[in-house]
Amino acid sequence: MAFVTFECRSCGAGVQSPPDNLLVVCAHCGDRYPSKEMGDIPIALIPSRSKQAIVDAVHDRMAKDKQMAGKQITIESAEGVYVPIFLTKAHISGDWKGYYKKKRDNSTVTVWEEGQVSEQMDFPILGRAHAYEFGMEIIHRVLFQQETVDFGAIDWASVALPVLPVDVDESTVELKVQDQLINTVGEKVRTGLNALTKFDVEVVQENRCIVLFPFWSVQYEYQGGHYRVAVSGGDGQVLAAMEPVFLGTRIGAWMTGVSALVVAGLACNGIYMVFGTMKGIDGGDIFVTIIVVICALITWFTADGLTASVHIDLLPDEDELS
Amino acid sequence: MNCGCGNVVEDNSTCTKCGSIHEDCGACGGQVIAMPKTMILSCPYCDTPLHQIDVGETPYFPINFTRQEIETQLNRFLLNRFGIPDDFSANRTVLDSTLAFIPIKLFRVQAFLNETIFEVDTKAIILNPTLWYLSKIQEYRFAVRVKQVMQKEEIESKVYPITIPDDHAELMVEPFGKSLLENDRNRFKEVPSNPKVTTEAQGNVFYPLYELTYEYRGKEYRAVLDASNGVVCFAEYPMCSKSRASVGITGVMMFVVTLVLTAVFSQYGEYTKLASTVVFCMGSLASANILWMAMRSHSVQESCAPDTEWDAQRTYGEMSIENRKVLSTPKTIEST
């Protein structure tokens, strides 16, 4: 890899910096080298577990997996880095109005709803626009379960890992916070509504810091194929795992396609007969059409299931878990 | 000064052994080492500019992977593809590995639905339409932020010239802005809107890619890899005959099942014609798709970095961190 290298002014160790940095942290002592664009932004860190603990977490995960249990895997590499995440304390407030439609006495009525939004939160933005590792996209699912340590109070030698330099400037962070926060809260408000007709909100960004999240990428080999597992270094949770696709899964994909054909036939023949001719129930045609379209898509994608290269298992979202 | 390779070099000189460039910052005296053939634009200690690119000159983004490293990257990537032959590593020969610089123009795009609701993203436009793999990398997210560049006089690779003028590039970025706008339109369907798309050109850069051609059992396959971060942008790969045969058989089996189900549904039920027609059409198309998968050549496209917008389900929370930077001018944006 081609880096600019220089000697750390605090500990004398060699520091490597890729060409696109805005903030570089010495991986030996934690000294910082910010560009003028970054200024003096504070940093907190989630301490990482040891490499052995991460490898053990991967083995545990595989042992509990329905398909991988008992399979012999070889860990090829385990590389940890601290991923910089901008955390912005933001407050969003305002009014919304929207409607949903429901059926009542053989007619459709529009029900209007309105309310207020007032939320304060820490909103995370990845400090790397371009470095992407498998599993990095779901860091936020475990981020808020971790305990941070103030950067100044860290025994750096015990937690040292390379720190990915920041390549997103603060003006971009400000725009992204506003953009994504409104999208996220807007999606939440819109749930259950057909449309929003008013969404007047204001976003105030109060303070900001960088949190360094320990992210491990473990590569294992199984029968000649190489697969990756992403692990949260703070608590050892497996964020995402690539697995081989076994014969059983491919047979399952084929069976699903065939089942969809049967369901489509039954929908046209049986369910149509029931819903299409019963008095007082409209929409029998639409119902059948929806079923047939879904079945058609399932059968069409049977080919993709049969020839899939890897299966990706993601850590479920906290909301899904609950 | 000691070079990383063990050689002793004088200040502000190039290592005679490995070619690394050693330089002292004029402002803080910090000593920095750049890889061969590159130029550092700012000091990593104090951020003082060390070199400047001539106005109007398009910089060359540095190469971070050697040919050997990039071939290893490709091999590892392809080894877990479905149907890759068991002897792929042993019988694969790289015929050609060309380092090519392609010209791209970067834009920051903001799509406003109204004063409050907007989308922001970056888009790279490739400024040469003659690349054979253009369609494969149109959506690729190039990792560009120039702080270190290649020395122009040291470029010995293939360089695709800029053939698309700036105004045309701006036109090409418009559909991307519109697609961003469409995202917000779908989220906030009937919210009063005053749509506007703004694009801000952030400059041109020549970006390094490896164009590879490799041979496996007498047939040639092509691949394109990012020379900066090693990502496989696009790759063709072989599928062994055993895998093709098994997929083909499942396609034939699907068609047989389709015929059986068509016959069954044409015999029983109230709406036999409709049911049998639907089942026959769906099953035939699915069978044809499976058979096509078994016969066609295979390729894969990767994206460097998906958009950094995390999925919306649980994006935020609270974290106990006392020491934070208070934003000196808290920005309040109000909609009207």
Side-chain angles (χ1 to χ4, degrees), chain A:
Chain A
M1 294 283 282
F3 289 99
V4 175
T5 52
F6 58 94
E7 224 171 67
C8 175
R9 64 190 155 205
S10 299
C11 70
V15 179
Q16 290 192 322
S17 162
D20 54 354
N21 75 82
L22 285 171
L23 170 69
V24 179
V25 179
C26 172
H28 297 270
C29 67
D31 202 1
R32 313 165 208 190
Y33 299 91
S35 72
K36 282 172 185 155
E37 292 163 79
M38 289 303 300
D40 53 352
I41 190 158
I43 304 178
L45 177 140
I46 298 163
S48 176
R49 292 187 176 191
S50 68
K51 184 174 179 175
Q52 189 54 49
I54 299 301
V55 171
D56 290 346
V58 172
H59 279 299
D60 286 351
R61 156 73 178 67
M62 292 303 173
K64 286 175 190 159
D65 188 89
K66 261 191 281 178
Q67 301 213 57
M68 293 301 291
K71 304 277 192 303
Q72 187 65 42
I73 63 164
T74 310
I75 303 286
E76 294 183 310
S77 65
E79 289 169 9
V81 289
Y82 283 111
V83 179
I85 296 167
F86 283 98
L87 213 59
T88 305
K89 179 77 73 192
H91 183 239
I92 181 168
S93 59
D95 307 315
W96 61 268
K97 194 174 180 182
Y99 65 82
Y100 64 91
K101 294 189 172 181
K102 71 171 188 180
K103 284 187 174 177
R104 190 187 293 160
D105 302 331
N106 287 337
S107 62
T108 305
V109 291
T110 303
V111 181
W112 286 89
E113 286 203 346
E114 57 187 325
Q116 287 182 326
V117 171
S118 178
E119 286 193 55
Q120 181 168 293
M121 76 287 285
D122 286 321
F123 200 88
I125 297 286
L126 197 59
R128 293 289 291 166
H130 299 298
Y132 171 69
E133 273 289 335
F134 168 71
M136 212 177 254
E137 71 277 18
I138 56 168
I139 283 178
H140 63 288
R141 291 189 184 177
V142 296
L143 178 65
F144 294 101
Q145 300 162 11
Q146 318 281 319
E147 287 289 326
T148 58
V149 180
D150 187 64
F151 203 71
I154 297 167
D155 170 15
W156 189 260
S158 65
V159 295
L161 286 179
V163 181
L164 288 186
V166 175
D167 71 356
V168 178
D169 57 56
E170 281 202 75
S171 65
T172 305
V173 173
E174 188 171 295
L175 286 173
K176 280 184 173 283
V177 168
Q178 164 116 3
D179 166 14
Q180 295 181 21
L181 181 56
I182 288 178
N183 288 347
T184 308
V185 175
E187 292 274 8
K188 246 170 108 175
V189 169
R190 206 176 60 118
T191 308
L193 298 174
N194 284 89
L196 277 172
T197 56
K198 180 186 173 192
F199 194 68
D200 285 348
V201 290
E202 65 172 37
V203 174
V204 181
Q205 300 184 29
E206 291 168 8
N207 56 45
R208 187 170 295 139
C209 63
I210 289 177
V211 174
L212 299 178
F213 179 94
F215 177 85
W216 285 80
S217 187
V218 179
Q219 182 160 300
Y220 70 92
E221 187 264 349
Y222 175 72
Q223 292 192 343
H226 303 273
Y227 304 89
R228 285 194 171 275
V229 182
V231 185
S232 155
D235 55 7
Q237 280 198 78
V238 172
L239 296 169
M242 281 186 195
E243 292 171 1
V245 182
F246 293 100
L247 182 64
T249 310
R250 296 188 201 283
I251 292 171
W254 188 84
M255 294 296 289
T256 308
V258 172
S259 307
L261 273 183
V262 175
V263 172
L266 288 174
C268 293
N269 218 333
I271 299 173
Y272 186 90
M273 194 174 69
V274 174
F275 283 91
T277 57
M278 277 173 70
K279 282 185 182 173
I281 297 181
D282 290 332
D285 291 349
I286 295 169
F287 185 63
V288 169
T289 309
I290 290 170
I291 291 179
V292 170
V293 168
I294 291 170
C295 291
L297 288 172
I298 292 171
T299 48
W300 177 258
F301 287 112
T302 302
D304 288 346
L306 284 169
T307 57
S309 293
V310 285
H311 167 72
I312 292 175
D313 193 19
L314 299 178
L315 177 79
D317 192 275
E318 198 178 70
D319 294 345
E320 290 169 32
L321 283 173
S322 62

Side-chain angles (χ1 to χ4, degrees), chain B residues 31-106:
Chain B
Q31 296 173 327
V32 292
I33 308 167
M35 288 300 283
K37 302 177 183 178
T38 62
M39 186 164 74
I40 304 163
L41 298 184
S42 63
C43 171
Y45 293 101
C46 62
D47 208 25
T48 302
L50 296 179
H51 296 279
Q52 282 189 325
I53 311 166
D54 291 341
V55 178
E57 189 183 316
T58 303
Y60 289 78
F61 201 69
I63 304 150
N64 289 332
F65 281 78
T66 63
R67 280 194 167 80
Q68 270 187 333
E69 286 170 336
I70 219 79
E71 285 173 23
T72 309
Q73 287 280 114
L74 177 65
N75 200 40
R76 294 184 88 87
F77 178 77
L78 291 180
L79 280 177
N80 63 11
R81 296 291 105 194
F82 171 71
I84 202 85
D86 293 339
D87 62 346
F88 179 73
S89 289
N91 291 324
R92 178 197 61 116
T93 314
V94 175
L95 301 176
D96 182 41
S97 167
T98 306
L99 179 64
F101 283 88
I102 63 162
I104 58 172
K105 190 177 195 73
L106 286 167

Side-chain angles (χ1 to χ4, degrees), chain B residues 178-197:
Chain B
K178 284 179 183 164
S179 69
L180 289 181
L181 200 56
E182 211 49 44
N183 293 342
D184 274 343
R185 275 214 178 100
N186 291 333
R187 282 192 186 102
F188 304 98
K189 265 181 198 161
E190 294 180 27
V191 170
S193 64
N194 180 20
K196 188 177 76 175
V197 175

